[in-house]
Amino acid sequence: MHRPGQPGDLPEAELLWARWGLLAVLEASAEEEELAFVHRTGHWIDGGGLHLDDCGTTCWTLERLGQGRFVLYGEDESSGVKWHKPSIDMLAGAPDWLPLDTLRHLIDGYELGCVYWYENGAWARAPYPDSLDDDGLDCGMSRFVDRSDVLDALDLGQDAPVGPEEILDHAERRELTPGLLESLVAGSEYDHWELPVMLRALHGTGLAGTGVSVPDGASSTPVGG
């Protein structure tokens, strides 16, 4: 990936959503859900989309806005955008369907390092001056760009009935069914997984595909569009 990032560095939005969403499903827990209004870390999904926070150095949101539109925004400590002189308008050229009030609030609070938006099959961002060294995209999002990095992040246990390659394939095809998650949890030596919470996250991501029934304990309304 380039520093600063280029729109072409990012995978297409549905693929980014699937990889990020899979980690959100596997990390879902009731304890983390209760931290929604305090400070949550890891990967998760809520009404505002997919989130990533590593507890101090990088914090990101990917939001689905319908009609093939997405917005990616966040901050990594490597970004020099918000401190750059002269100032950089991160919303220059931005379409009006972005959550502009939210983004401007974050910019005003010096809580944002970059904004990318996706429409008509392509990512875009505001223009940067040649003097900008980094916008944080590489350190924040490179974990989702290389498929092998995503696979390395999938800790399913040694005797899991489903391997990392298979479960990632299902997620990327939007075929991550409740039954597949149930078999993973039932056949794993891990005891930290909470299936009802994982199923809620699964439904929120939409990675089970259309027409998949929602099990008891899972929300009936998709989260994040």
Side-chain angles (χ1 to χ4, degrees):
M1 296 182 72
H2 298 84
R3 294 192 179 188
Q6 298 289 337
D9 292 336
L10 290 166
E12 66 96 15
E14 289 287 358
L15 188 59
L16 178 60
W17 182 275
R19 293 174 177 179
W20 194 333
L22 174 59
L23 290 172
V25 169
L26 296 177
E27 294 178 17
S29 74
E31 180 180 2
E32 286 295 325
E33 281 188 339
E34 293 174 359
L35 295 176
F37 299 104
V38 187
H39 186 79
R40 192 168 178 178
T41 60
H43 305 82
W44 72 96
I45 187 164
D46 62 18
L50 287 166
H51 306 279
L52 160 64
D53 191 314
D54 75 347
C55 197
T57 62
T58 201
C59 180
W60 298 82
T61 293
L62 176 63
E63 189 173 353
R64 184 194 296 274
L65 298 171
Q67 300 178 333
R69 295 169 173 174
F70 293 78
V71 61
L72 170 68
Y73 58 92
E75 176 181 31
D76 186 90
E77 64 178 1
S78 64
S79 175
V81 173
K82 67 184 181 182
W83 309 118
H84 192 273
K85 299 297 181 183
S87 62
I88 297 172
D89 181 2
M90 285 180 266
L91 299 178
D96 58 10
W97 50 261
L98 292 183
L100 295 174
D101 289 344
T102 296
L103 296 173
R104 289 185 180 121
H105 175 75
L106 293 170
I107 290 170
D108 291 344
Y110 291 92
E111 299 177 79
L112 204 58
C114 64
V115 182
Y116 286 73
W117 52 89
Y118 186 90
E119 186 177 26
N120 298 322
W123 289 101
R125 62 155 170 78
Y128 292 155
D130 293 340
S131 53
L132 178 68
D133 294 327
D134 198 353
D135 67 351
L137 187 74
D138 181 15
C139 290
M141 290 290 106
S142 60
R143 70 197 72 205
F144 299 122
V145 173
D146 191 327
R147 199 170 193 271
S148 63
D149 289 339
V150 183
L151 291 170
D152 288 344
L154 299 177
D155 182 9
L156 307 180
Q158 293 183 346
D159 300 319
V162 181
E165 188 85 40
E166 182 181 355
I167 201 167
L168 182 56
D169 283 345
H170 278 81
E172 291 179 349
R173 295 197 303 264
R174 298 175 67 88
E175 297 174 356
L176 186 65
T177 63
L180 185 63
L181 277 188
E182 290 167 6
S183 66
L184 172 64
V185 172
S188 173
E189 75 269 24
Y190 289 157
D191 59 7
H192 64 270
W193 278 330
E194 301 174 41
L195 184 59
V197 189
M198 295 168 71
L199 290 173
R200 284 199 294 273
L202 172 63
H203 190 69
T205 64
L207 295 181
T210 58
V212 178
S213 61
V214 181
D216 291 340
S219 168
S220 61
T221 303
V223 177

